[in-house]
Amino acid sequence: MQKSLYQIKRDILDVGRRTYDRGYVASNDGNISARIDDKKVLITPTGVSKGFMKAEDLVVVDYDGKVLSQGKRPSSEVFMHLRIYKERPDINSVCHAHPIYATGHAVAGMSLEKCVLPEVIIVLGGIPLVEYGEPGTDKFFEPILKFLKDHDAFLLANHGALTIGTDVLNAYHKMETLEHFAHISYVAQQLGNINVLPKPDVQALMEARSRYGVPSTATCQTCDSPGGESCEIYQGASALNDQKANLNIHPNGNSDVDREKLVRMVTEAVMKKLG
Ligand SMILES: [Zn+2]
């Protein structure tokens, strides 16, 4: 059922507050929009905190970006939102924020494109890391376009995160799922290991997506890469493990450095006895 304009406004204010309260944005960052109908889009204003918006702050624009409401000016990313609606007729809401763990991965150049958690595979599928583009310009959203057809969640290099959905809450929930996954990935990296799901399990989850009404095309690029047996390529984690080995931190206690030390200690003890 189509939501009323009143309800769409309430949803954007509610999601704006949650986005701010959860620390997904600082200051006046981030932007949220929703399709009103085939002529108009509602979008958050520029220069207003997402945690403290009023209904009259929200801006109505047409699909060319022309402002149709009185008062505030639209977000500087309005053209990215409009382009997404043009490219994805199935999508009715767009959320952009800078959640700490997701953005941390995007800044570190570490993709979340790996099949680890069942819920994430079902809800988001693959999460591409999109190359950097200057905010507020066409360059910001041009790199997103090549992933747009098959994905609903994106990491934006050196910037933040973007999610899209069938309504405002659906797009926002994908942001929460993305950030939760990024946080879990961060913790797993600190613990020193990320086990990916075997390919048959990933395939079963991908097939289950249709039962949840998710387009089955949004797959993980790593799994889909030619010759890719499973989603096991996670260079970020292995680089971190190498670093930990250098720092003499051994989660498994069986690294070469530990073994060398052990051999030396045993040799010294034996030599002492013999001596
Ligand atoms: Zn941003």
Side-chain angles (χ1 to χ4, degrees), residues 30 96-98 140 159:
H96 166 57
H98 310 148
F140 179 50
H159 188 148

PDB file of all heavy atoms in Angstrom, residues 30 96-98 140 159, ligand 1:
ATOM      1  N   GLY A  30      25.099  13.654   6.236  1.00  0.00           N
ATOM      2  CA  GLY A  30      24.149  12.621   5.830  1.00  0.00           C
ATOM      3  C   GLY A  30      22.945  13.190   5.111  1.00  0.00           C
ATOM      4  O   GLY A  30      22.661  14.390   5.190  1.00  0.00           O
ATOM      5  N   HIS A  96      22.084   8.046   3.082  1.00  0.00           N
ATOM      6  CA  HIS A  96      23.539   8.202   3.038  1.00  0.00           C
ATOM      7  C   HIS A  96      24.019   8.697   4.395  1.00  0.00           C
ATOM      8  O   HIS A  96      23.464   9.655   4.936  1.00  0.00           O
ATOM      9  CB  HIS A  96      23.950   9.177   1.935  1.00  0.00           C
ATOM     10  CG  HIS A  96      25.377   9.617   2.070  1.00  0.00           C
ATOM     11  ND1 HIS A  96      26.419   8.716   2.086  1.00  0.00           N
ATOM     12  CD2 HIS A  96      25.936  10.832   2.239  1.00  0.00           C
ATOM     13  CE1 HIS A  96      27.550   9.376   2.249  1.00  0.00           C
ATOM     14  NE2 HIS A  96      27.291  10.663   2.358  1.00  0.00           N
ATOM     15  N   ALA A  97      25.025   8.023   4.974  1.00  0.00           N
ATOM     16  CA  ALA A  97      25.552   8.410   6.281  1.00  0.00           C
ATOM     17  C   ALA A  97      27.034   8.031   6.356  1.00  0.00           C
ATOM     18  O   ALA A  97      27.596   7.496   5.381  1.00  0.00           O
ATOM     19  CB  ALA A  97      24.761   7.706   7.387  1.00  0.00           C
ATOM     20  N   HIS A  98      27.644   8.316   7.511  1.00  0.00           N
ATOM     21  CA  HIS A  98      29.065   8.015   7.718  1.00  0.00           C
ATOM     22  C   HIS A  98      29.237   7.175   8.990  1.00  0.00           C
ATOM     23  O   HIS A  98      29.944   7.589   9.916  1.00  0.00           O
ATOM     24  CB  HIS A  98      29.878   9.307   7.869  1.00  0.00           C
ATOM     25  CG  HIS A  98      29.644  10.323   6.805  1.00  0.00           C
ATOM     26  ND1 HIS A  98      29.717  11.685   7.034  1.00  0.00           N
ATOM     27  CD2 HIS A  98      29.326  10.188   5.484  1.00  0.00           C
ATOM     28  CE1 HIS A  98      29.463  12.336   5.916  1.00  0.00           C
ATOM     29  NE2 HIS A  98      29.213  11.460   4.961  1.00  0.00           N
ATOM     30  N   PHE A 140      30.735  12.158  -7.677  1.00  0.00           N
ATOM     31  CA  PHE A 140      30.394  11.425  -6.459  1.00  0.00           C
ATOM     32  C   PHE A 140      29.595  10.169  -6.790  1.00  0.00           C
ATOM     33  O   PHE A 140      29.870   9.089  -6.277  1.00  0.00           O
ATOM     34  CB  PHE A 140      29.602  12.338  -5.517  1.00  0.00           C
ATOM     35  CG  PHE A 140      29.163  11.682  -4.238  1.00  0.00           C
ATOM     36  CD1 PHE A 140      30.060  10.984  -3.454  1.00  0.00           C
ATOM     37  CD2 PHE A 140      27.845  11.768  -3.813  1.00  0.00           C
ATOM     38  CE1 PHE A 140      29.664  10.379  -2.267  1.00  0.00           C
ATOM     39  CE2 PHE A 140      27.441  11.178  -2.632  1.00  0.00           C
ATOM     40  CZ  PHE A 140      28.360  10.479  -1.861  1.00  0.00           C
ATOM     41  N   HIS A 159      34.808   8.028   2.386  1.00  0.00           N
ATOM     42  CA  HIS A 159      33.624   8.857   2.588  1.00  0.00           C
ATOM     43  C   HIS A 159      32.617   8.250   3.566  1.00  0.00           C
ATOM     44  O   HIS A 159      32.456   8.747   4.662  1.00  0.00           O
ATOM     45  CB  HIS A 159      32.978   9.149   1.230  1.00  0.00           C
ATOM     46  CG  HIS A 159      31.875  10.137   1.319  1.00  0.00           C
ATOM     47  ND1 HIS A 159      31.559  11.022   0.325  1.00  0.00           N
ATOM     48  CD2 HIS A 159      30.999  10.402   2.315  1.00  0.00           C
ATOM     49  CE1 HIS A 159      30.549  11.773   0.703  1.00  0.00           C
ATOM     50  NE2 HIS A 159      30.188  11.407   1.909  1.00  0.00           N
TER      51      HIS A 159
HETATM   52 ZN    ZN B   1      28.622  11.982   3.040  1.00  0.00          ZN
END
